[in-house]
Amino acid sequence: MDLGLADRTIWVTGGSSGVGLATVRALLAEGARVATCGRDAGRLARAAADLDSDRLLTGVCDIRDAGAVHAFARRTAETFGGLDGLVNNAGQSRMKGLDEATAEDWRDELELKFSGVLHPLDAARPYLKASDAASIVTVNAVLAKQPEPRLITTSAARAGLLNLATSLAAVLAPDGIRVNSVCLGLIDTGQWARRHAAADSGMTYEDWQAELAADRGIALGRLGRAEEVAYPIVALLSPRASYITGTSIDVCGGVGRGIL
């Protein structure tokens, strides 16, 4: 199926590795023009060399820096002639419970998560309003619906992001901008392989994954892959999804602690 993304311009934050990189790769395969930014210049350079596309623009940018974010948005629009989509992907998890989390942890977590959406939105909005198929996808986590006490700051921040995305869908609809979320479960982007190696359990990685999946209640019995997340992100960006806004899609292998 032609997703109608050829020659569309999509901005992906945090696109130098993991889900972001898989999304950039999938968009390029659909013929889109892609701009991606991240904090690590080395990773960005390696990703750009690997992808080797004249439809790819990269730049070093911290999403917490509003000025840098606006500058990258302008550069993208000037390079490609506009902007049709935004993927808010930059972010990380903080493994801390209530007794370990400091006031600074809470501030940093909330700043990172909300700056990662609000700064790119503010920068991209004028260009998206000019598009005839504007779409925003925020990469979130099932923690937003199924809180994890071991990641209490991250869970709370992600719940707020899910709420924000629903509000933005209503606010931006008159401008023709759709807003949706993709909520992840455990995705194998390299960190889990490193944890397996560090655990030195004597188990194969596949068996270790299966044990982890059973512990976390993952029905499919394994971790997800970055490309399995990229597919719904790209689908929601497509003009073919023109009547989908204000919703979220779980990509979590059937983790079922929540109902909604």
Side-chain angles (χ1 to χ4, degrees), residues 81-94:
L83 186 60
D84 301 290
L86 169 64
V87 180
N88 295 311
N89 172 68
Q92 61 187 21
S93 295
R94 192 179 302 260

Side-chain angles (χ1 to χ4, degrees), residues 236-258:
L236 287 171
L237 290 167
S238 168
R240 290 186 176 274
S242 57
Y243 202 53
I244 302 175
T245 196
T247 194
S248 65
I249 296 176
D250 292 352
V251 184
C252 60
V255 171
R257 298 198 310 274

Side-chain angles (χ1 to χ4, degrees), residues 88 112-122 138 161 164 168:
N88 295 311
L112 177 62
K113 294 298 186 292
F114 283 90
S115 293
V117 171
L118 294 174
H119 286 167
L121 168 64
D122 189 43
T138 292
L161 280 188
L164 175 62
L168 291 177

Side-chain angles (χ1 to χ4, degrees), residues 86 88 109-122 125 136-140 144-145 155-173 177-183 245-248:
L86 169 64
N88 295 311
E109 187 71 38
L110 293 169
E111 179 187 11
L112 177 62
K113 294 298 186 292
F114 283 90
S115 293
V117 171
L118 294 174
H119 286 167
L121 168 64
D122 189 43
R125 189 175 180 184
I136 297 172
V137 178
T138 292
V139 179
N140 205 326
K145 308 173 187 179
S155 293
R158 290 203 175 281
L161 280 188
L162 192 60
N163 185 292
L164 175 62
T166 303
S167 294
L168 291 177
V171 171
L172 299 179
I177 303 172
R178 298 182 297 107
V179 183
N180 294 289
S181 300
V182 172
C183 294
T245 196
T247 194
S248 65

Side-chain angles (χ1 to χ4, degrees), residues 226-239:
E227 59 269 24
E228 292 176 310
V229 182
Y231 171 74
I233 293 172
V234 171
L236 287 171
L237 290 167
S238 168

Side-chain angles (χ1 to χ4, degrees), residues 6-84:
D7 298 323
R8 297 282 185 181
T9 299
I10 311 296
W11 175 14
V12 181
T13 66
S16 62
S17 61
V19 169
L21 179 57
T23 301
V24 170
R25 182 175 285 109
L27 286 166
L28 289 172
E30 291 293 328
R33 296 178 292 240
V34 184
T36 191
C37 57
R39 291 183 294 173
D40 191 317
R43 277 187 178 181
L44 281 169
R46 288 191 292 274
D50 179 58
L51 294 166
D52 189 25
S53 173
D54 59 5
R55 288 181 283 109
L56 176 66
L57 174 70
T58 64
V60 177
C61 178
D62 187 330
I63 54 172
R64 292 169 293 192
D65 183 340
V69 171
H70 276 260
F72 188 73
R74 287 193 299 271
R75 182 182 166 209
T76 298
E78 290 167 0
T79 301
F80 292 135
L83 186 60
D84 301 290

